[in-house]
Amino acid sequence: MPQMGESIAEGTIVRWIKKVGDRVDRDEPLFEITTDKVDAEIPSPAAGVLTEITAKEGDTVSVNSVVGSIQLAGEEAPSPPADAPSPRSGAAKAAASTQPQADGNPVPAPSIRSPNAPSADSAQRHKSSPLVRRIARENQVDVSQISGTGLGGRVTKHDILQFLDKQGGATETGPGGTGQGEGLYQESGISAKATARPAVSDARVEVQPISAMRKKIAEHMVVSKRTSAHVHSVFHVDFSDVDRIRQQKKEEYATLGAKLTYLTFIAKAVTDGLRRHSILNASLDGDNVIYRKDVNLGIAVALESGLIVPVIKNADEKNLLGLSRAIADLAVRARNKQLTPDEVQGGTFTITNPGQFGAQFGMPIINQPQVAILGVGTIEKRAVVVDDGIAIRTMGYLTLGFDHRLIDGAVADQFMADIKQHLERFDANQL
């Protein structure tokens, strides 16, 4: 299992692209993983034959754990001792044997520790990622109270969410006064009620396990709702000038390898607005406000299996052409599972675009640890009142979701009024 980022301690095998017995070339995609940050296809470290898979699809394993073995060209497959007991699982097999590296040098496989066994060194219990420490801080939990199941006793996100669930912290009271969030931090990462078989005839249902990406999304969304005081503000924006400029310039941009979309104009208005309203580009850390100097813009990309938010770093330094190219590039590579962990981290503000599917507007959930998110509704021609007359204009709704712990409604609406004015009077000199 590769190390896919400094704060990432584990990954889940989503799919083995190659099967045991398949020949594989060096750098050819071998298996697919999902982590807290990114989905990725992992290339083979060497050419040879895949002789063993020790981590099955759906298994979550620590980084640097052995997940399979490749027999190099010219090597003989190692034969196990005749009296060797059959391992009970892929993880036990990895711990009970010595696995060959791609270069032929054998190295001992990492020992597998019982998930409930405490670490030998009590200090190891304090090992955790920045995400785990933030969740602990926001819920006033001492990480040292939690027994980590990660590598070397590391406390994983799963550990702290399960701990919060046992403490009763995962129950949220909905409008009807019932605990709608009950069980959301159980081992599956979602409500135990949601995973139970429906009380109907099996002939009329199909039961499938939830995907690893869906589990991660479920955990992130519930954590965000529990963390931030969500408020939403909706503005109706006239995109007629933007549409006129887009029609005039889209062929020119196409010759430069860029697609000029409404989202590009919105991204430009947002990045300029964030420089003037820095509180929306900030984050909360306990009793401190962290003001970010860089505007790193996340763009939500819908995938077949879920949602991912790649980040345009220093987006405020790009012109319309640069933003257009960056958005298209990240979207393509996100759908092809070619993003690196760095490209989905460090975002300071997010834009999501449900309008591409026809939604008038949405109420998006904030992407932690950010404090605001912009939802883009469908942009279409509508009849509106202009100078006491009925006119046909290109209109769309923009929704700002913001964290009321830090941002007041007046501040949020000032930011949105700025965005609205920017788009309705777009300066063609920014092209």
Side-chain angles (χ1 to χ4, degrees):
M1 177 62 62
Q3 177 77 54
M4 293 296 290
E6 184 178 350
S7 64
I8 297 176
E10 61 188 15
T12 300
I13 305 287
V14 175
R15 178 173 65 101
W16 277 95
I17 299 170
K18 296 292 184 178
K19 307 299 181 186
V20 172
D22 286 354
R23 182 168 297 279
V24 59
D25 294 328
R26 182 181 177 88
D27 295 329
E28 185 179 3
L30 188 60
F31 59 96
E32 183 180 325
I33 69 169
T34 185
T35 71
D36 286 351
K37 303 295 183 182
V38 69
D39 285 5
E41 291 181 350
I42 306 305
S44 173
V49 175
L50 182 63
T51 59
E52 185 179 28
I53 291 176
T54 56
K56 304 185 299 297
E57 293 179 356
D59 285 353
T60 298
V61 297
S62 301
V63 298
N64 299 323
S65 297
V66 174
V67 298
S69 301
I70 294 175
Q71 178 186 342
L72 303 182
E75 281 188 338
E76 293 185 4
S79 52
D83 57 349
S86 175
R88 289 177 296 175
S89 66
K93 191 170 187 177
S97 63
T98 299
Q99 303 294 342
Q101 285 183 325
D103 59 6
N105 296 325
V107 295
S111 61
I112 305 300
R113 188 170 61 87
S114 170
N116 296 322
S119 173
D121 181 1
S122 61
Q124 288 183 329
R125 295 186 180 180
H126 298 273
K127 292 183 178 180
S128 58
S129 68
L131 175 62
V132 169
R133 292 193 293 274
R134 180 175 59 78
I135 295 173
R137 184 169 56 250
E138 290 169 349
N139 290 275
Q140 298 180 345
V141 172
D142 185 355
V143 178
S144 64
Q145 298 177 1
I146 305 172
S147 296
T149 61
L151 188 65
R154 186 184 185 96
V155 178
T156 67
K157 184 176 69 174
H158 172 79
D159 295 330
I160 190 168
L161 294 182
Q162 192 173 48
F163 178 84
L164 288 172
D165 188 43
K166 290 178 180 178
Q167 297 297 314
T171 301
E172 294 182 348
T173 301
T178 60
Q180 296 179 343
E182 184 178 357
L184 284 166
Y185 295 114
Q186 306 251 340
E187 185 160 349
S188 66
I190 60 169
S191 171
K193 297 177 182 177
T195 59
R197 286 181 176 271
V200 294
S201 170
D202 284 348
R204 301 297 300 165
V205 301
E206 179 181 356
V207 179
Q208 295 183 354
I210 192 169
S211 68
M213 173 177 272
R214 197 74 254 165
K215 288 182 184 179
K216 302 294 185 187
I217 292 173
E219 292 171 359
H220 284 228
M221 295 301 96
V222 172
V223 167
S224 182
K225 290 293 284 186
R226 293 185 67 248
T227 300
S228 296
H230 280 69
V231 181
H232 294 86
S233 184
V234 182
F235 274 60
H236 205 194
V237 179
D238 187 343
F239 285 88
S240 297
D241 279 355
V242 166
D243 183 57
R244 175 180 52 79
I245 296 171
R246 193 177 70 90
Q247 296 297 334
Q248 292 174 352
K249 297 291 184 178
K250 65 179 182 180
E251 290 187 8
E252 177 184 335
Y253 270 58
T255 61
L256 298 173
K259 186 176 181 181
L260 191 57
T261 65
Y262 291 114
L263 183 59
T264 307
F265 287 89
I266 295 168
K268 181 60 179 173
V270 166
T271 55
D272 288 351
L274 289 174
R275 285 189 294 188
R276 293 186 290 271
H277 304 271
S278 59
I279 192 68
L280 283 97
N281 197 53
S283 64
L284 273 173
D285 183 12
D287 294 331
N288 298 318
V289 180
I290 301 175
Y291 288 91
R292 312 287 183 182
K293 301 298 183 182
D294 298 326
V295 175
N296 297 331
L297 187 64
I299 303 291
V301 177
L303 308 177
E304 289 185 3
S305 55
L307 189 75
I308 195 168
V309 185
V311 177
I312 303 173
K313 300 296 176 64
N314 302 116
D316 56 322
E317 299 177 1
K318 298 183 182 295
N319 59 14
L320 211 61
L321 178 61
L323 285 171
S324 181
R325 285 174 170 168
I327 291 171
D329 172 63
L330 289 176
V332 168
R333 290 193 292 115
R335 295 187 177 104
N336 292 330
K337 297 181 172 62
Q338 296 174 342
L339 295 174
T340 65
D342 183 61
E343 290 175 315
V344 292
Q345 298 184 68
T348 59
F349 187 96
T350 296
I351 298 177
T352 183
N353 186 18
Q356 63 183 311
F357 304 110
Q360 292 294 306
F361 54 84
M363 301 294 173
I365 298 175
I366 297 167
N367 187 17
Q368 297 296 321
Q370 299 166 27
V371 294
I373 182 171
L374 186 75
V376 179
T378 189
I379 298 173
E380 59 189 2
K381 291 187 180 298
R382 296 174 190 151
V384 295
V385 176
V386 178
D387 297 330
D388 294 330
I390 302 297
I392 303 299
R393 293 295 177 94
T394 303
M395 307 292 294
Y397 291 104
L398 297 181
T399 302
L400 181 71
F402 59 96
D403 189 342
H404 211 339
R405 296 178 305 163
L406 181 63
I407 302 169
D408 290 330
V411 175
D413 288 345
Q414 288 167 9
F415 170 76
M416 288 298 289
D418 199 356
I419 300 300
K420 176 181 171 73
Q421 182 177 1
H422 191 144
L423 291 169
E424 291 183 344
R425 304 174 186 176
F426 199 89
D427 185 358
N429 292 327
Q430 296 187 32
L431 298 177

